[in-house]
Amino acid sequence: ARCWSPGPPRRACASRRACLIARFNFIYAKERLDAEMLLRPFVCDLEMVQRIIYLAAVESFHSAKMAFCKIKISVKDTLALDHCGEPSSLEVAALDYIACHKDLYDVCCSVQEVICSITKNPKLPCPAGVDFTVISSLIQELCCLAFSMQTLIPPLDIAFGVDGELFNRTMYYRSFDSDFTAPFVAYHVWPALLEDGAVVVKGEVVTKK
């Protein structure tokens, strides 16, 4: 059977979902910290470094999701020419096709978009001359991961955090250097992973009074 025949088997989809969640956890545990080390020679403040990496994660998901939407429209238009089933089965066929043809995604374009967005962000008063291409490997991994997560049914996404929000223990862990009595989030270290609004993997925040 061709890879893009309608609908991946549930078992295969569940396996792909588990692999993507494991990849998300690995990036948090390893590659995020590697990126911190790469930024520290340019930005001495750890809080600023963590804010940069969090923003990189948020912008990577945003860019990848926008690219995915455009590709899905194009794929559905192409598959519709030979499709005889229900619209819902066309949607599944398109997701299946994209999952098997990740080369449709120009991840380098997304990486550049993310770096540009971080550079222009007014909330990051970084020292002049910081070149965010030093974390381009992390950004590329996040973009590819976010793109693949959109092929799942339902898709996986990250929570959008806001500085000053009330700490939610079901969505976040507190960093070790947090004030554990503080009720509000000072800043976000890593986003929570969601599925249909439910928390799949907790994120990390710093709470301070």
Side-chain angles (χ1 to χ4, degrees):
R2 292 187 301 175
C3 186
W4 55 93
S5 57
R10 283 189 179 182
R11 190 177 301 170
C13 198
S15 174
R16 193 151 47 86
R17 175 184 178 276
C19 288
L20 292 172
I21 292 172
R23 184 67 191 148
F24 182 81
N25 286 329
F26 180 80
I27 292 173
Y28 166 71
K30 175 72 169 62
E31 296 179 28
R32 172 183 67 91
L33 298 178
D34 291 345
E36 281 189 9
M37 294 297 292
L38 291 170
L39 281 170
R40 288 307 291 272
F42 306 97
V43 185
C44 59
D45 180 30
L46 178 59
E47 176 180 332
M48 186 57 61
V49 167
Q50 291 178 328
R51 284 179 178 272
I52 291 167
I53 291 172
Y54 175 77
L55 182 62
V58 171
E59 292 295 339
S60 293
F61 267 78
H62 175 73
S63 181
K65 284 161 60 182
M66 293 299 101
F68 182 85
C69 287
K70 293 177 183 177
I71 291 169
K72 187 173 76 167
I73 290 169
S74 175
V75 168
K76 285 176 74 172
D77 287 346
T78 301
L79 296 181
L81 299 174
D82 297 316
H83 188 78
C84 303
E86 295 292 322
S88 59
S89 66
L90 176 60
E91 176 81 9
V92 173
L95 295 178
D96 196 11
Y97 184 93
I98 297 168
C100 294
H101 296 82
K102 295 187 180 70
D103 57 323
L104 293 169
Y105 177 36
D106 182 1
V107 67
C108 292
C109 182
S110 280
V111 171
Q112 290 305 312
E113 285 179 2
V114 174
I115 290 172
C116 184
S117 179
I118 297 172
T119 303
K120 294 180 178 178
N121 191 289
K123 293 183 179 180
L124 296 176
C126 293
V130 177
D131 185 358
F132 294 112
T133 58
V134 296
I135 58 167
S136 59
S137 177
L138 172 71
I139 294 169
Q140 181 168 327
E141 284 291 328
L142 286 166
C143 287
C144 289
L145 178 69
F147 185 86
S148 293
M149 284 179 167
Q150 305 314 301
T151 66
L152 299 172
I153 302 174
L156 293 169
D157 199 1
I158 57 171
F160 181 74
V162 180
D163 289 355
E165 68 180 301
L166 190 65
F167 173 70
N168 181 346
R169 68 177 63 255
T170 63
M171 188 170 288
Y172 298 110
Y173 294 109
R174 297 180 199 255
S175 285
F176 71 93
D177 55 347
S178 293
D179 178 341
F180 281 71
T181 64
F184 299 108
V185 173
Y187 66 94
H188 296 73
V189 175
W190 194 249
L193 189 66
L194 307 179
E195 182 180 64
D196 262 354
V199 178
V200 178
V201 179
K202 285 186 180 183
E204 183 182 344
V205 297
V206 174
T207 55
K208 293 179 182 177
K209 287 184 178 177

